[in-house]
């Protein structure tokens, strides 16, 4: 999938779940607690995303616009 000139690898498509965690930490509310397995999964996904972004930046490409979703 390509957004803003950046090809998002298929193996990062599951990074969409990180959005929910960002919303929950930014906006207080009555959310389900995150169990340890989900936490570990989210951390691994976030590490993969960071690795990919660093690789893209080393190629000289601009990172995606943070105001736009890569997954729409």
């Amino acid at each position: 999938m390509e957004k803003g000139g950046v090809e998002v690898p298929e193996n990062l498509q599951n990074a969409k779940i990180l959005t929910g965690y960002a919303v929950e930490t930014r906006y207080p509310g009555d959310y389900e607690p995150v169990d340890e397995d989900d936490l570990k999964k989210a951390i691994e996904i976030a590490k993969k995303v960071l690795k990919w972004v660093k690789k893209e930046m080393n190629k000289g490409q601009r990172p995606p616009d943070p105001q736009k979703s890569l997954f729409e």
Side-chain angles (χ1 to χ4, degrees):
M1 175 183 287
E2 187 171 321
K3 288 287 184 181
V6 178
E7 181 77 24
V8 178
E10 286 296 319
N11 69 329
L12 294 181
Q13 295 301 309
N14 61 351
K16 296 177 202 179
I17 69 163
L18 299 176
T19 301
Y21 295 121
V23 169
E24 290 177 22
T25 58
R26 184 169 182 171
Y27 302 103
D30 188 24
Y31 300 105
E32 294 279 327
V34 178
D35 67 32
E36 192 166 341
D37 287 339
D38 288 341
L39 175 62
K40 287 178 182 179
K41 180 179 175 183
I43 290 170
E44 286 306 310
I45 292 169
K47 285 179 182 180
K48 289 177 184 177
V49 170
L50 287 173
K51 183 177 178 181
W52 172 70
V53 169
K54 287 177 183 180
K55 184 174 125 186
E56 291 299 307
M57 290 178 73
N58 285 335
K59 290 182 188 176
Q61 292 189 20
R62 296 191 59 172
D65 184 340
Q67 300 300 314
K68 297 179 182 174
S69 173
L70 293 174
F71 306 105
E72 291 178 349

